[in-house]
Amino acid sequence: MAKIRPFKAVRPTRDKVSLVASRSYQTYTQAEREARLDYNPFSFLHIVNPGYKYAREITGTERYQLVRNRYLEFKEDSIFVHDKTPSYYIYKIVDRDHQVFNGIVAAASAEDYEKDIIRKHEDTIEYRERIFKDYLKTVGFNAEPVLLTYPDNNVISTIIKDIQNTRAEFEFTTTYRDTHYLWKLEEPELLNIIEKEFDSMPTVYIADGHHRSASSYLLYKEEKAANPNHTGHESYNQFMSFLIPESELRIHEFNRLVKDLNGLTKEEFLIQLDTIYRIENRGIMPYKPSKKHHFSMYLDGEFYSLYLRKSLYNFKTALDALDAQILYYTILDPILGISDLRNDVRIDYINGKKDIINVKDRIDSGEFAVGFGMVPVDINEMKQMADDGLKMPPKSTFIEPKLRSGVTIYEF
């Protein structure tokens, strides 16, 4: 049963939360990062980019210690305060497209991760797990929750709606025009009800944050082994998560871009595709597929539709039927020679929330030779993969919502 527990968060003060909250460090361009660091002394970016203070790039364990130093300074300056009672944090996001996400920031169990009560659908890279585990151990906190999803639950939804009728603890709008709200839920009776509802769920699923959860699990194993007085109640037994119902999860695809045709001419490439796909030239009009096993392709100034031939619909596993996997084993690997999707520099990805014209523009610029698009994975496909112990290829899903770093912090 899923152990989802309240915890005592470290949070910015109400007057500074909009200044503190930041996107993930990697999502900023260099110019954006520098502007925020130059003109916003409260940005969480100052914590995760501590070298800014010394006008130099700092990496490795030296950076980890400086991150901790900056974090402690934010606490000493009362930019951050530590809640005194365990709470669930009701969180709501209304994005610029008016999509609404409602969920709960809470502590999930590392033991549940180990027992596959928290289920995974995506492969992780071992060295990245170890690096982030070492980072967590040194800095002593996690500021970006793992996104978990659970079956829609009327009891939890009713409590969330009732709490949202009260004044929010936080309310702020980002420069991306997403509005964020947070309510602190600490009434013992309601905490107990929510806890029991999650306890009744046999599984919950990782939607986004596989490396963060894997690293937190590694930290749990290491700390548990080193602690002769381990009780199971230590803070390292849990990791911060944002849990939303399955119906509110938004899953987008990732489009693939490839730099060259692996030595083939355009005509040779199309002839090889013809064995596997029904091909139709759609001309200059943008085309996006609308069905599973249908793909779009942009090549040499024109869009194409690719329909997997039905004679090849002999799928034995959920992975075999996954469009990202089909694209890999029919085109990317055998024809274009891309066997390592994680590390091959000839391939890049654009999330499907962006317009298909982004794919066209990058190919027309000469940076890439061909691009492919597909329909998004649905929640049932994702769960089936996790239930069967299968792993999707990298960049199979772009999942929303995306929380801001630094709004709630979990200390180890």
Side-chain angles (χ1 to χ4, degrees), residues 293-312:
H293 317 323
H294 290 188
F295 302 85
S296 65
M297 180 174 73
Y298 184 71
L299 172 69
D300 194 26
E302 295 178 308
F303 288 92
Y304 294 80
S305 59
L306 306 179
Y307 297 168
L308 183 69
R309 294 191 180 278
K310 291 188 177 179
S311 60
L312 299 177

Side-chain angles (χ1 to χ4, degrees), residues 85-139:
T85 57
S87 303
Y88 288 123
Y89 299 90
I90 309 302
Y91 207 106
K92 176 181 177 180
I93 302 172
V94 182
D95 73 13
R96 64 187 302 168
D97 299 320
H98 308 294
Q99 292 190 24
V100 181
F101 306 96
N102 299 283
I104 300 175
V105 179
S109 166
E111 186 180 34
D112 284 354
Y113 182 95
E114 182 177 54
K115 293 180 176 179
D116 207 33
I117 292 171
I118 297 175
R119 295 197 172 167
K120 314 90 182 165
H121 67 265
E122 188 177 289
D123 261 334
T124 53
I125 302 172
E126 187 176 350
Y127 83 87
R128 285 184 60 191
E129 294 177 10
R130 292 197 307 271
I131 288 172
F132 194 58
K133 182 267 294 179
D134 293 340
Y135 171 84
L136 292 175
K137 185 170 184 176
T138 301
V139 303

Side-chain angles (χ1 to χ4, degrees), residues 113-176:
Y113 182 95
E114 182 177 54
K115 293 180 176 179
D116 207 33
I117 292 171
I118 297 175
R119 295 197 172 167
K120 314 90 182 165
H121 67 265
E122 188 177 289
D123 261 334
T124 53
I125 302 172
E126 187 176 350
Y127 83 87
R128 285 184 60 191
E129 294 177 10
R130 292 197 307 271
I131 288 172
F132 194 58
K133 182 267 294 179
D134 293 340
Y135 171 84
L136 292 175
K137 185 170 184 176
T138 301
V139 303
F141 68 87
N142 189 4
E144 191 173 344
V146 173
L147 182 63
L148 301 180
T149 188
Y150 61 90
D152 287 43
N153 180 289
N154 288 333
V155 174
I156 295 176
S157 294
T158 298
I159 293 174
I160 288 175
K161 288 176 182 176
D162 288 345
I163 294 298
Q164 289 176 345
N165 287 327
T166 65
R167 184 192 182 202
E169 184 82 7
F170 292 158
E171 178 181 350
F172 64 96
T173 300
T174 72
T175 53
Y176 272 52

